[in-house]
Amino acid sequence: LGEGLFRSSRYQDAARIFSEAREPLERERGVDSPETIRCIANLASAERELDHVDQAIALYETALERAHKSLG
């Protein structure tokens, strides 16, 4: 749903969906799961489109750190 909203340029709605999905994914799949990392990266992209640059950078950094950790 979030990805479809993002592709439709509905960035605020997409950010809300990704943000709401993040905690359950972290809890159920783990913080380093590919699904969780993708969700965080998608949230970062939505925040970037909303000109929330500082938030986007922090989220991208989190996603990158977790991806490196999970890949070894």
Side-chain angles (χ1 to χ4, degrees), residues 21-31 36 40 62 66:
R22 181 180 176 179
E23 185 180 325
L25 280 170
E26 288 177 333
R27 186 177 56 249
E28 295 169 14
R29 301 284 175 106
V31 296
T36 302
I40 294 169
T62 298
R66 291 183 182 184

Side-chain angles (χ1 to χ4, degrees), residues 7-45:
R7 284 191 299 273
S8 298
S9 300
R10 295 179 54 189
Y11 305 119
Q12 187 68 42
D13 293 329
R16 180 180 48 80
I17 295 297
F18 294 134
S19 183
E20 289 173 359
R22 181 180 176 179
E23 185 180 325
L25 280 170
E26 288 177 333
R27 186 177 56 249
E28 295 169 14
R29 301 284 175 106
V31 296
D32 296 332
S33 76
E35 295 88 356
T36 302
I37 294 167
R38 185 171 53 250
C39 178
I40 294 169
N42 287 341
L43 175 56
S45 296

Side-chain angles (χ1 to χ4, degrees), residues 40-55:
I40 294 169
N42 287 341
L43 175 56
S45 296
E47 294 293 352
R48 183 195 68 223
E49 292 295 333
L50 294 167
D51 290 324
H52 301 157
V53 177
D54 291 339
Q55 287 177 311

Side-chain angles (χ1 to χ4, degrees), residues 51-69:
D51 290 324
H52 301 157
V53 177
D54 291 339
Q55 287 177 311
I57 290 170
L59 289 162
Y60 280 131
E61 288 174 345
T62 298
L64 183 61
E65 288 170 11
R66 291 183 182 184
H68 278 264
K69 186 177 177 181

